[in-house]
Amino acid sequence: MSQRVRGVIAREKGKPVEVTTIVVPDPGPGEAVVKVQACGVCHTDLHYREGGINDEFPFLLGHEAAGVVESVGAGVTDVAPGDFVVLNWRAVCGNCRACNKGKPWYCFATHNAKQRMTLEDGTELSPALGVGAFVEKTLVHAGQCTKVDPSARAAAVGLLGCGVMAGIGASINTGGVTRGDSVAVIGCGGVGDGAVAGAALAGATTIIAIDTDDRKLEWARGFGATHTINAREADVVEAVKALTGGNGADVVVEAVGRPETYRQAFYARDLAGTVVLVGVPTPEMTIELPLLDVFGRGGALKSSWYGDCLPSRDFPLLVELYKQGRLDLDAFVTEEIALDEVEQAFGKMHTGDVLRSVVIF
């Protein structure tokens, strides 16, 4: 039997979101219904509302979530009803060329639920990033559910479902940050602060946070930044060099996704250093760099999609570090809100008043 629950949809491009009734079908083969306990409000959800992802309206928004498995479909063995899980949008297939090469974090055939959740009139919904978690219960592919310690706070660990994991992974998985490294992070929102936290976990000794907002720079210090640079007040490249013996940082994480900040990242790295792009650019953006500089500086220019994470490997580990007090996921949660406050949370993003608003069910 299908269930009727409350959820947040974006019905039209650029229009305020609305709370309405969502019809959730019983899980089919390989699927699971999850009772959502908490879901973070991510910039990607706003991009969906603004038509910046695609035009497959209406969207069921929300994707940074944790909750409890309520029911599973045929063939599901990895999770069972009652399991506390963090949802992810990269359920790997295990059979594509990336998975067969032993690099499942690059999976080219990730899974989502085959059935669609709908409005009461039968209109099919497009779930954000294949999750759709601004809803009391959601239908996902079982591979999108990663079991973690059930004693963990849902509002905190649910953020591993997207932004915080993207940042931590950009430093550790993509950037390969290790003990003694110098790291610069450009852009100190949720993803950037995740990169700062990841660099600290990996043992970096110089961690430079860069932003134009002093409030965000102060937040970054709380996650492990040893130095801060206000980009409105200093030349970013020269300031990073001054803090790294004139050399530039071993790893620079660009968490903004703009040509001008990417250029800063490129020149703020040490010779043979690594640039990691985890900020998401828009389709019209381009960048021009002297090819001789690309050749002559060596090193690596990498992009990081979801922090090159493998949820089954990374989520339980990071939750354990959180439980040990070594990763302060609680600090990412600026406020806890109700389901009908998502539109106001989008407004707070623009003013920089929050690191993360989290919907609590």
Side-chain angles (χ1 to χ4, degrees):
M1 296 291 291
S2 61
Q3 302 183 66
R4 282 161 171 76
V5 296
R6 295 171 70 243
V8 171
I9 67 167
R11 193 181 293 272
E12 297 180 60
K13 180 178 178 179
K15 296 297 178 69
V17 301
E18 58 184 274
V19 179
T20 190
T21 299
I22 309 298
V23 180
V24 182
D26 282 346
E31 297 175 342
V33 170
V34 175
K35 181 176 175 57
V36 181
Q37 294 182 339
C39 184
V41 183
C42 176
H43 277 273
T44 302
D45 295 305
L46 181 58
H47 290 327
Y48 272 105
R49 194 200 72 175
E50 296 302 303
I53 307 295
N54 58 53
D55 60 356
E56 297 174 5
F57 290 90
F59 292 109
L60 175 59
L61 300 180
H63 59 280
E64 281 186 347
V68 175
V69 175
E70 180 180 85
S71 58
V72 299
V76 175
T77 58
D78 289 342
V79 293
D83 285 342
F84 178 62
V85 297
V86 175
L87 300 182
N88 74 79
W89 48 272
R90 297 281 291 158
V92 302
C93 74
N95 296 309
C96 70
R97 60 192 186 279
C99 289
N100 286 333
K101 289 178 180 178
K103 299 179 179 180
W105 48 90
Y106 293 140
C107 180
F108 300 115
T110 55
H111 294 307
N112 297 132
K114 290 185 177 179
Q115 298 183 89
R116 288 290 187 102
M117 292 174 278
T118 69
L119 299 177
E120 286 189 290
D121 64 5
T123 301
E124 291 190 345
L125 296 167
S126 300
L129 290 177
V131 178
F134 286 154
V135 64
E136 292 165 329
K137 298 178 183 180
T138 190
L139 175 76
V140 294
H141 189 280
Q144 294 178 268
C145 303
T146 304
K147 289 192 291 185
V148 298
D149 187 332
S151 67
R153 179 187 174 205
V157 299
L159 301 183
L160 294 173
C162 189
V164 173
M165 182 70 251
I168 292 173
S171 285
I172 297 176
N173 296 336
T174 315
V177 175
T178 189
R179 59 189 182 276
D181 276 350
S182 57
V183 179
V185 178
I186 302 177
C188 296
V191 175
D193 281 345
V196 169
L201 277 175
T205 49
T206 301
I207 304 173
I208 306 164
I210 303 158
D211 204 283
T212 58
D213 187 331
D214 285 331
R215 292 175 300 174
K216 291 184 177 181
L217 293 174
E218 191 58 35
W219 290 339
R221 283 193 178 275
F223 291 107
T226 59
H227 304 80
T228 60
I229 298 169
N230 188 316
R232 294 188 188 277
E233 300 171 358
D235 181 297
V236 168
V237 174
E238 293 305 316
V240 170
K241 288 182 176 179
L243 292 169
T244 54
N247 301 315
D250 296 309
V251 178
V252 183
V253 177
E254 202 278 50
V256 180
R258 295 192 59 83
E260 55 269 35
T261 44
Y262 188 87
R263 190 178 183 89
Q264 289 173 338
F266 180 82
Y267 286 107
R269 66 180 177 132
D270 195 358
L271 289 173
T274 299
V275 174
V276 177
L277 175 63
V278 68
V280 182
T282 52
E284 77 281 358
M285 291 180 179
T286 61
I287 188 166
E288 183 174 318
L289 291 167
L291 191 57
L292 184 61
D293 286 355
V294 176
F295 171 78
R297 297 179 67 84
L301 307 178
K302 296 184 175 183
S303 58
S304 183
W305 205 37
Y306 203 5
D308 289 342
C309 85
L310 185 59
S312 59
R313 174 195 67 194
D314 295 338
F315 287 6
L317 169 64
L318 294 174
V319 170
E320 180 59 28
L321 293 175
Y322 164 67
K323 293 288 294 178
Q324 293 175 6
R326 296 165 62 189
L327 175 61
D328 190 2
L329 295 176
D330 290 315
F332 286 93
V333 182
T334 309
E335 63 173 2
E336 297 182 357
I337 63 173
L339 190 63
D340 58 4
E341 295 178 280
V342 169
E343 185 65 32
Q344 296 94 307
F346 286 152
K348 292 175 184 177
M349 285 182 182
H350 290 301
T351 58
D353 291 333
V354 295
L355 197 51
R356 269 298 186 273
S357 302
V358 179
V359 176
I360 301 297
F361 292 87

